[in-house]
């Protein structure tokens, strides 16, 4: 008989067995997977899903176009058109799986790397480039897209997400049984951010108030140059139990598994069952940002190993092997990706430079007297230079 504490029957809250079934006994199997790196479909007792051919083709299209966004933005930065770019190469499945599991009324709190999730929420990727070009602070409407502005401060969005989830709870939009009303929040962060106080404080508040939030951690195994083993002695998903809610580790390079797990976690939140930590176990194939040189701190053998687990290639193999696509599908998608690339290249160069006073436009929802005084002072300062060029 195991001397492992029985979690869920005391004051700690639910454990994996209670929430997701008997296969999660003692934390295993550790990795939820529905599509192997070789493109073989496997089944899972708690997180299986019947995917239609249309859904599978849609996942593939989403990942290909998301990768093209990343490739084009990286090239634009190299050509001096962007100040910086946060790459997502290799993490397409984690983002598309999580993004497509959302309902329209759900709300997303992103980091600065959720380009695939932004794409799923209908945001023109050109809007993302404006932020990295330095011409705006994020030009999409968060209220329209239910997708927050990118957060540069590491981990801060987790606190924002928990607070918003508590607001949903108080609005009575949780646990009503109405699929068009019940809502959840998903807060994205990386393995590096898991060491931040804001993230852990968010966990505490979410557990204490049973907030309808999914904590989605893309564990790409590198916090810039720090490997994951320097941050934690246990798998990240197991930390959740210490806060009193369940955690699950999913193959973050498997779009099918990521979708199924995130969908289940979001529904649990909408039903009023509280938070879940999803650890999407993946790998950052590129640099942390375009200012980073990963060859200085990691081995090329690791990168080559993870290339064999490419999220797009495994789904491509599955689609071809099962006769779910023809060559025309790939040809059309290739042209669509080329058109997207052209849109980004030309659109980025055409983005207008901001007016100096526009920095005051969106500081607060309602402009304060103090802000007006600051704006007037800055306007007068700018006007003082006009005579010098007369």
């Amino acid at each position: 008989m195991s001397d492992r504490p029985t979690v869920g029957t005391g004051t700690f809250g639910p454990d994996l067995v209670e929430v997701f079934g008997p296969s999660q006994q003692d934390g295993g199997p550790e990795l939820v997977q529905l599509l192997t790196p070789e493109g073989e479909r496997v089944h899972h007792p708690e997180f299986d899903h019947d995917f239609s051919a249309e859904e599978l083709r849609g996942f593939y299209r989403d990942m290909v176009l998301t990768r093209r966004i990343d490739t084009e933005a990286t090239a634009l930065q190299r050509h001096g058109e962007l100040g910086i770019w946060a790459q997502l190469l290799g993490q397409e499945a984690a983002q598309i799986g999580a993004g497509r599991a959302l309902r329209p009324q759900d709300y997303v709190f992103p980091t600065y790397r959720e380009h695939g999730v932004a794409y799923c929420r209908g945001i023109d990727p050109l809007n993302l480039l404006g932020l990295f070009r330095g011409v705006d602070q994020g030009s999409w409407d968060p209220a329209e897209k239910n997708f927050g502005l990118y957060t540069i401060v590491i981990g801060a969005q987790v606190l924002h997400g928990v607070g918003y989830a508590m607001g949903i709870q108080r609005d009575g939009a949780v646990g009503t049984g109405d699929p068009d009303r019940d809502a959840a929040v998903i807060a994205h962060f990386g393995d590096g951010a898991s060491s931040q106080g804001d993230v852990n404080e968010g966990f505490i508040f979410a557990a204490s108030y049973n907030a309808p939030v999914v904590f989605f951690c893309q564990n790409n195994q590198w916090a810039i140059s720090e490997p994951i083993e320097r941050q934690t002695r246990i798998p990240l998903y197991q930390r959740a139990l210490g806060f009193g809610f369940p955690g699950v580790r999913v193959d973050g390079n498997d779009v099918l598994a990521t979708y199924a797990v995130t969908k289940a976690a979001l529904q649990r939140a909408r039903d009023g069952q509280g938070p879940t930590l999803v650890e999407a176990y993946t790998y950052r194939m590129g640099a942390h940002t375009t200012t980073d040189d990963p060859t200085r701190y990691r081995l090329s053998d690791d990168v080559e190993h993870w290339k064999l687990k490419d999220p797009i290639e495994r789904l491509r193999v599955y689609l071809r092997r099962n006769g779910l696509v023809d060559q025309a599908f790939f040809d059309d998608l290739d042209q669509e990706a080329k058109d997207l690339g052209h849109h980004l290249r030309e659109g980025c160069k055409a983005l207008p430079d901001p007016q100096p006073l526009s920095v005051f436009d969106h500081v607060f929802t309602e402009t304060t007297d103090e802000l007006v005084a600051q704006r007037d002072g800055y306007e007068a300062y700018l006007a003082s230079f006009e005579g010098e060029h007369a």
Side-chain angles (χ1 to χ4, degrees):
M1 182 175 179
S2 172
D3 58 359
R4 180 177 179 267
T6 302
V7 181
T9 57
T11 59
F12 285 172
D15 67 2
L16 296 176
V17 177
E18 291 182 25
V19 177
F20 294 128
S23 76
Q24 297 296 313
Q25 184 68 50
D26 295 324
E30 189 171 279
L31 191 73
V32 178
Q33 186 179 80
L34 299 180
L35 190 66
T36 70
E38 296 75 30
E40 294 287 344
R41 182 74 163 88
V42 294
H43 297 278
H44 191 278
E46 272 70 62
F47 295 104
D48 216 358
H49 184 86
D50 291 327
F51 295 96
S52 67
E54 183 179 1
E55 282 182 301
L56 295 171
R57 288 191 292 266
F59 286 143
Y60 183 83
R61 173 181 174 273
D62 291 343
M63 290 194 293
V64 168
L65 295 180
T66 297
R67 182 167 290 186
R68 187 57 177 256
I69 293 168
D70 189 61
T71 301
E72 292 292 342
T74 299
L76 284 165
Q77 193 280 330
R78 298 307 189 205
H79 284 84
E81 300 296 339
L82 300 180
I84 194 173
W85 177 252
Q87 297 173 311
L88 60 71
L89 182 63
Q91 297 176 222
E92 296 88 356
Q95 296 202 11
I96 297 303
R100 289 305 181 198
L102 295 161
R103 289 181 182 170
Q105 67 268 29
D106 296 332
Y107 204 103
V108 182
F109 284 83
T111 70
Y112 45 77
R113 201 186 303 274
E114 268 64 62
H115 319 313
V117 185
Y119 166 82
C120 290
R121 295 309 260 181
I123 294 174
D124 186 337
L126 192 59
N127 293 149
L128 307 179
L129 299 191
L131 176 64
F132 291 94
R133 189 174 171 86
V135 300
D136 59 52
Q137 303 296 319
S139 56
W140 63 92
D141 183 353
E144 176 191 356
K145 303 296 186 181
N146 273 16
F147 184 89
L149 296 176
Y150 275 7
T151 304
I152 307 302
V153 178
I154 304 300
Q157 72 281 355
V158 172
L159 283 176
H160 305 160
V162 172
Y164 192 93
M166 292 168 63
I168 290 175
Q169 197 176 45
R170 282 148 183 76
D171 287 341
V174 177
T176 69
D178 183 350
D180 296 322
R181 176 175 173 78
D182 289 343
V185 167
I186 187 167
H188 287 267
F189 61 99
D191 51 289
S194 70
S195 298
Q196 290 289 114
D198 284 359
V199 172
N200 289 273
E201 289 168 12
F203 286 177
I204 292 170
F205 267 85
S208 298
Y209 290 92
N210 208 41
V213 58
V214 174
F215 299 110
F216 193 90
C217 175
Q218 290 174 74
N219 178 4
N220 65 24
Q221 301 179 55
W222 289 95
I224 309 182
S225 60
E226 292 299 314
I228 184 63
E229 58 265 23
R230 290 190 184 170
Q231 298 188 71
T232 181
R233 296 300 181 188
I234 61 171
L236 289 177
Y237 79 94
Q238 292 183 5
R239 287 185 176 181
L241 290 180
F243 292 91
F245 55 87
V248 60
R249 173 182 275 188
V250 63
D251 183 349
N253 283 24
D254 177 357
V255 67
L256 308 187
T258 303
Y259 172 86
V261 168
T262 309
K263 182 180 179 182
L266 285 167
Q267 189 56 49
R268 181 173 179 271
R270 297 186 201 105
D271 290 342
Q273 298 302 308
T276 304
L277 171 60
V278 175
E279 178 192 358
Y281 192 72
T282 181
Y283 193 81
R284 196 193 74 210
M285 294 298 294
H288 174 69
T289 70
T290 46
T291 63
D292 174 40
D293 178 10
T295 64
R296 298 176 60 187
Y297 54 79
R298 70 182 187 188
L299 300 175
S300 59
D301 288 350
D302 291 341
V303 178
E304 293 301 317
H305 171 74
W306 277 89
K307 281 183 180 179
L308 301 176
K309 301 181 180 183
D310 184 80
I312 296 177
E313 184 59 27
R314 71 171 73 181
L315 184 53
R316 180 187 181 94
V317 169
Y318 180 79
L319 290 171
R320 279 194 173 279
R321 182 182 294 146
N322 290 276
L324 301 177
V325 291
D326 55 19
Q327 188 56 45
F329 169 81
F330 292 115
D331 292 342
D332 291 345
L333 181 55
D334 183 58
Q335 185 58 52
E336 186 177 5
K338 290 178 180 178
D339 293 342
L340 176 59
H342 181 267
H343 167 66
L344 293 177
R345 291 191 300 273
E346 297 306 312
C348 179
K349 297 173 185 177
L351 287 172
D353 289 334
Q355 294 298 315
L357 291 175
S358 67
V359 70
F360 296 95
D361 289 349
H362 303 293
V363 178
F364 298 114
T365 302
E366 297 179 2
T367 302
T368 64
D369 292 341
E370 181 182 12
L371 193 65
V372 170
Q374 290 180 9
R375 185 186 187 281
D376 291 345
Y378 188 49
E379 186 175 22
Y381 170 74
L382 294 176
S384 70
F385 292 97
E386 294 178 0
E388 297 180 7
H389 302 288

